[in-house]
Amino acid sequence: MKLGIIHYNFPDHSLSEFLRAIKDLGYDYSEIMCRDVWPDETTGNPEAEAEKLKKEMDEVGVQCSALSLQNDFVVLDEDVVNTQIKRAERVCGLARILGTNVLRTEGGRPKDEVPQEKWVDAMAGCLKRMADFIEKEDYYLAVDNHGKVTNDGELQLRLFDMVGSKRVGANLDTMNYRATGQYDLETVYKFWKMVAPCTFHTHFKDGVLENGKYRGTELGSGELDLSIAVNALKEAGYEGVWVVEYEKKDGDRVEGAKKSIEHLKSLLQQAGVE
């Protein structure tokens, strides 16, 4: 089993401490954030920082499952598009240094200058501009169902169809469809099954809605039947990393990560994932 976890919700741990802690729990992968190696995009040497982090990860025995692109493709102005594409290509190079060819990609942020009816066109335009590059350089863009822009399984599939590249697919986040409160569980499970065949990366997270607000929990302690996602991905032939995104805000984060990996392992074993 390829098991990973994203680290941003571990405020009491430096990245170095986090890597060692998760390795002790049985995680062999972690999603790395672009800001981990490029915190100030106006200065610095992110390539050198990526090489330094890769060396440390090798020493610990943790691999990079994906690098988060932290992009904004809800843009139409040509100069802004060019800036986003140039930045994205450089971040892809950082992913290569870190040992992965998967970029966990944002759709982008809503903004006044891009009306909602143009969101998909804007994202598709940027992704199409990247298609030749990612094909030539062997990268995959996993668009997250995140925030207000891409948190819709049907919209994601429409976007992928517009781009027309087999290297542009999904990061399947199990809780995001539910966390906004706009979809019932039946629709959430439908989206999982729809998106599974074009999934390159995952975020397994759990939680509950309380008075319309999302509260993160350990895997198996929330309202989601995560076995549905596991089975859908297995049936679709998913071969990527099974990544925990632990978002509970209180309590011992390491203990929560431990409970989460134990639950995910159990689900994968039941589904026959090796």
Side-chain angles (χ1 to χ4, degrees):
M1 299 177 187
K2 294 190 286 188
L3 298 170
I5 187 169
I6 186 170
H7 85 277
Y8 70 89
N9 190 32
F10 291 76
D12 296 332
H13 290 70
S14 68
L15 181 53
S16 296
E17 292 167 340
F18 167 81
L19 292 172
R20 285 165 174 77
I22 64 168
K23 181 64 177 180
D24 289 342
L25 295 177
Y27 291 98
D28 292 323
Y29 293 83
S30 180
E31 178 185 329
I32 300 301
M33 307 294 284
C34 179
R35 62 175 175 262
D36 291 328
V37 293
W38 203 5
D40 182 355
E41 296 189 11
T42 64
T43 187
N45 186 342
E47 288 77 15
E49 292 300 315
E51 290 174 358
K52 180 180 176 181
L53 178 56
K54 178 62 165 63
K55 181 179 179 181
E56 181 174 8
M57 293 178 75
D58 287 346
E59 290 173 351
V60 175
V62 173
Q63 299 179 60
C64 180
S65 67
L67 180 64
S68 64
L69 189 57
Q70 297 181 263
N71 60 292
D72 185 353
F73 284 171
V74 182
V75 291
L76 292 171
D77 181 89
E78 188 63 21
D79 289 340
V80 180
V81 170
N82 288 336
T83 297
Q84 281 290 321
I85 298 302
K86 183 178 180 180
R87 175 192 175 277
E89 291 179 353
R90 185 173 183 184
V91 177
C92 284
L94 302 179
R96 173 74 32 84
I97 294 170
L98 289 167
T100 185
N101 64 350
V102 178
L103 285 297
R104 202 256 303 170
T105 309
E106 302 286 349
R109 295 180 296 277
K111 50 186 68 67
D112 292 341
E113 58 268 31
V114 183
Q116 185 170 351
E117 62 269 20
K118 292 290 187 180
W119 286 354
V120 175
D121 290 338
M123 292 184 291
C126 289
L127 291 167
K128 285 180 181 178
R129 287 274 297 273
M130 290 202 68
D132 287 345
F133 172 80
I134 62 175
E135 176 69 33
K136 179 182 178 182
E137 301 295 334
D138 186 29
Y139 292 107
Y140 293 87
L141 303 182
V143 181
D144 203 354
N145 54 300
H146 175 77
K148 296 181 179 180
V149 176
T150 53
N151 196 31
D152 177 334
E154 293 177 350
L155 181 149
Q156 284 177 286
L157 294 184
R158 186 164 79 252
L159 174 64
F160 303 155
D161 185 62
M162 289 175 66
V163 176
S165 170
K166 293 182 178 180
R167 290 174 175 267
V168 175
N171 178 77
L172 196 164
D173 185 301
T174 56
M175 191 69 204
N176 276 355
Y177 295 126
R178 180 63 173 160
T180 59
Q182 66 192 110
Y183 303 116
D184 58 22
L185 289 175
E186 182 179 352
T187 302
V188 170
Y189 299 153
K190 180 185 76 172
F191 285 166
W192 290 354
K193 295 173 183 177
M194 289 168 53
V195 171
C198 50
T199 294
F200 299 141
H201 195 257
T202 58
H203 280 174
F204 271 80
K205 68 186 183 207
D206 205 350
V208 295
L209 286 181
E210 296 176 335
N211 299 319
K213 294 184 178 180
Y214 158 61
R215 176 174 62 83
T217 69
E218 299 85 358
L219 298 191
S221 298
E223 62 183 12
L224 299 180
D225 183 353
L226 294 173
S227 68
I228 296 173
V230 168
N231 288 325
L233 288 162
K234 182 177 185 293
E235 184 176 341
Y238 178 69
E239 296 181 347
V241 183
W242 306 82
V243 179
V244 172
E245 183 176 10
Y246 182 71
E247 288 199 326
K248 188 175 180 180
K249 299 302 182 185
D250 56 357
D252 187 330
R253 280 10 182 231
V254 174
E255 183 63 25
K258 179 181 178 182
K259 292 179 179 178
S260 294
I261 194 174
E262 289 173 350
H263 185 71
L264 184 54
K265 271 181 157 179
S266 177
L267 294 178
L268 293 172
Q269 288 168 350
Q270 293 171 30
V273 176
E274 298 180 355

